[in-house]
């Protein structure tokens, strides 16, 4: 929807915006005489910000901003008001939720005027550019979700200037470069940065994060499995490290993450044996170690977990599985070296691997566990038997 002809765009900026920012605005400066009575100062600031935001939206297929006219911003679609937390006498804009609206545009600097914003959800649109530095003014922002857009650039440094931020979701964008170590010092409860273009190894201090849910999958990471993760046992309930370029082994004390319900390290280059301590994750429901180079026997302790519903360990070189594993509600043991199980690797492939097994220190990751014990590999298939009926 074109916005150039909308009467609202004629009043999208005010002198308030000029005094608020030290940097020049990207928008034009309009002269406008406000009608009387004016809204309270906080709603006036919100009005300025939302008009600039509407101007920055270049395509609005659902017409969600059609009613973004006039000073009654609390009636705007996707805008939610509440009493100001520091002074309940003032009504202010507390939340913006424009998820799944197909909006195309960018995030203007004037959004920093929304200083009472606690929730900002813009997922599943097509916003480009990056997150403006002026959002550091959002001192009480609790949730920021800009996932599934086309935002780009390095990890936005403004995110370190939001002291109340607890939920951060920037997944499915085009952010790139390294992930700053500072990210894992923030007081976040949930962190989603998956499906971007981040590179380098995961910072050593990742275990300092207090998050309960962390998803780092499908980036361009590399390096060893971060051993400091075991420090997150008191808080971490879900972790997804799918396709994160991780090498080395799972630490022998990985079972310290005993609050986990979901543990997914599939599609990496992890090797060695599965630690017996995984059996200490009493709350574990989903375990996925598929598409790695794990070998040896599956510890009985894993399949003895009472809450385990799904155990996926396909595409490894595991050579023995306890009978308990076969009783799980959902499991996938294909493409291993398991005797008498269907859809396994060939005998030749298994023997070649165990002749020169990939150990967990391959790739320079220190402190490898003992190599896997010799396995009883599947026997070679018997020659075909032909039955000739008697005449």
């Amino acid at each position: 929807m074109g916005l150039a002809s909308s009467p609202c765009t004629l009043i999208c900026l005010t002198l308030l915006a000029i005094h608020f920012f030290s940097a020049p605005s990207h928008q034009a400066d309009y002269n406008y005489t406000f009608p009387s009575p004016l809204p309270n100062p906080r709603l006036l600031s919100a009005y300025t910000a939302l008009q600039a935001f509407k101007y920055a939206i270049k395509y609005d297929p659902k017409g969600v901003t059609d009613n973004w006219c006039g000073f009654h911003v609390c009636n705007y679609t996707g805008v939610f008001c509440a009493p100001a937390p520091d002074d309940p006498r003032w009504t202010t804009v507390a939340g913006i939720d424009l998820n799944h609206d197909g909006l195309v545009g960018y995030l203007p600097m004037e959004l920093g005027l929304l200083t009472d914003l606690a929730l900002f959800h813009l997922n599943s649109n097509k916003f480009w550019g990056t997150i403006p530095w002026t959002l550091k003014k959002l001192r009480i922002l609790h949730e920021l979700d800009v996932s599934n857009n086309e935002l780009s650039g390095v990890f936005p440094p403004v995110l370190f200037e939001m002291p109340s931020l607890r939920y951060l979701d920037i997944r499915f964008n085009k952010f790139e470069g390294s992930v700053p170590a500072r990210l894992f010092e923030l007081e976040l409860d949930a962190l989603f940065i998956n499906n971007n273009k981040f590179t380098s190894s995961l910072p050593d201090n990742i275990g300092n994060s207090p998050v309960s849910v962390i998803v780092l999958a499908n980036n361009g990471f590399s390096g060893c499995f971060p051993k400091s993760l075991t420090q997150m046992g008191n808080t971490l309930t879900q972790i997804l490290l799918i396709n994160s370029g991780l090498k080395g082994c799972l630490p022998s004390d990985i079972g310290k993450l005993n609050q986990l319900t979901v543990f997914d390290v599939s599609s990496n280059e992890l090797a060695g044996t599965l630690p017996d301590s995984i059996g200490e994750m009493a709350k574990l429901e989903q375990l996925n170690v598929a598409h790695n180079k794990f070998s040896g026997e599956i510890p009985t302790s894993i399949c003895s977990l009472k809450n385990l519903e799904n155990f996926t360990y396909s595409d490894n070189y595991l050579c023995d599985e306890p009978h308990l594993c076969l009783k799980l509600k959902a499991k996938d043991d294909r493409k291993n070296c398991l005797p008498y199980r269907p859809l396994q690797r060939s005998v030749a492939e298994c023997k070649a691997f165990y002749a020169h097994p990939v150990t967990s220190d391959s790739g320079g990751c220190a402190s490898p566990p003992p190599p896997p014990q010799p396995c009883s590999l599947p026997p070679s298939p018997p020659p075909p038997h032909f039955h000739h009926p008697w005449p």
Side-chain angles (χ1 to χ4, degrees), residues 195-211:
N195 294 82
N196 278 285
K197 298 180 179 181
F198 292 121
T199 55
S200 75
S201 59
L202 293 173
D204 293 337
N205 69 329
I206 186 173
N208 293 349
S209 177
V211 295

Side-chain angles (χ1 to χ4, degrees), residues 212-224:
S212 61
V213 178
I214 185 169
V215 184
L216 309 177
N218 299 317
N219 279 289
F221 296 130
S222 60
C224 302

Side-chain angles (χ1 to χ4, degrees), residues 235-251:
T235 58
L236 194 63
T237 62
Q238 297 184 34
I239 183 168
L240 283 79
L241 294 168
I242 308 160
N243 189 30
S244 294
L246 298 177
K247 299 179 175 65
C249 61
L250 295 179

Side-chain angles (χ1 to χ4, degrees), residues 138-152:
L138 278 52
R139 308 297 291 176
I140 64 172
L141 188 68
H142 189 84
E143 294 186 13
L144 177 63
D145 182 355
V146 293
S147 61
N148 198 20
N149 279 283
E150 297 180 5
L151 299 171
S152 59

Side-chain angles (χ1 to χ4, degrees), residues 22 30 32 34 61 104 115 118 121 127 159 179 184 187 190 232-233 255 312 325 357:
S22 58
Y30 297 98
Y32 183 77
F34 290 110
V104 180
T115 54
H121 286 184
F127 287 106
L159 298 177
V179 174
F184 303 106
E187 293 295 320
M232 304 169 73
T312 303
C325 295

